[in-house]
Amino acid sequence: MAFREISVEELKDNPFTLINKDWMLITAGNHEKHNTMTASWGGVGELWGKYVSTIYIRPQRYTLEFVEQEEYYSLCFFGPEYRDALALCGSKSGRDIDKDQAAGITAQFDQAAPYYEQARLVFICRKLYRQDMESQCFLDKELLKQYYPQNDLHRMFIGEIVKVLEKK
């Protein structure tokens, strides 16, 4: 099934449900090597006169290396029939297994970033900003205790959504 490019304004999905409940794959790399990870934290909105996504990646995640190396990354959203595949991509490391093969998903390559043939919706994003979260910036210290007992605070990326692809 092919994709068609749409504008951000044509999106009909609830972004909170899309990210938190449905989950997404964050993917970066190239034809030779890429990696993906499942995420349920993130956001979309407007900043600096651009439509943007915000993603968060812990320092130990293999995908971080790929997002750091590349100018672009993709966010892929799937139907419920891919829930097990996304669970696998969030629990196994691409250092140890070929996630695409294990999850039964097929990478396609935009000129900027890899994305998945089985996705129903794809955002291609160009990195604009990154910053490591810092413990001293947390106003609610309970969040640190709850989400960062190993002090492995996320690196945040803000990327311009340069293309939206929707399944035809």
Side-chain angles (χ1 to χ4, degrees):
M1 218 160 133
F3 288 91
R4 70 181 185 105
E5 188 169 348
I6 64 170
S7 69
V8 172
E9 291 90 356
E10 292 177 80
L11 288 171
K12 301 202 179 1
D13 291 274
N14 176 321
F16 296 97
T17 303
L18 197 62
I19 295 169
N20 179 261
K21 302 289 186 217
D22 296 345
W23 303 342
M24 63 185 167
L25 288 181
I26 301 170
T27 310
N30 55 45
H31 287 280
E32 289 77 42
K33 196 165 186 176
H34 64 277
N35 199 60
T36 193
M37 65 173 266
T38 302
S40 64
W41 290 5
V44 294
E46 192 275 337
L47 184 65
W48 304 315
K50 301 175 185 301
Y51 293 117
V52 298
S53 69
T54 304
I55 59 171
Y56 303 89
I57 305 175
R58 289 188 193 267
Q60 65 268 34
R61 296 302 297 257
Y62 188 43
T63 303
L64 180 61
E65 295 176 27
F66 293 86
V67 172
E68 284 289 357
Q69 290 171 4
E70 302 295 332
E71 184 178 358
Y72 293 85
Y73 60 88
S74 71
L75 303 179
C76 294
F77 304 92
F78 296 77
E81 66 274 21
Y82 288 96
R83 190 64 168 199
D84 289 344
L86 271 67
L88 181 140
C89 291
S91 62
K92 303 290 182 190
S93 175
R95 290 182 184 99
D96 304 324
I97 66 167
D98 179 335
K99 287 188 187 185
D100 293 359
Q101 182 179 10
I105 53 179
T106 307
Q108 294 190 182
F109 295 87
D110 179 86
Q111 62 201 22
Y115 64 97
Y116 289 96
E117 181 180 302
Q118 293 81 7
R120 65 177 189 79
L121 183 66
V122 176
F123 298 164
I124 304 294
C125 304
R126 184 176 65 88
K127 293 186 310 188
L128 300 174
Y129 180 84
R130 74 156 189 234
Q131 182 169 347
D132 290 336
M133 296 178 91
E134 299 177 1
S135 58
Q136 67 269 21
C137 294
F138 278 80
L139 303 177
D140 182 342
K141 300 300 183 192
E142 290 301 312
L143 293 173
L144 280 171
K145 291 178 192 172
Q146 182 177 359
Y147 293 103
Y148 301 102
Q150 298 174 337
N151 200 36
D152 57 344
L153 280 73
H154 288 88
R155 177 164 294 162
M156 174 187 69
F157 292 89
I158 299 172
E160 177 184 8
I161 301 170
V162 296
K163 186 185 290 185
V164 178
L165 302 172
E166 178 182 70
K167 272 282 168 72
K168 286 185 184 178

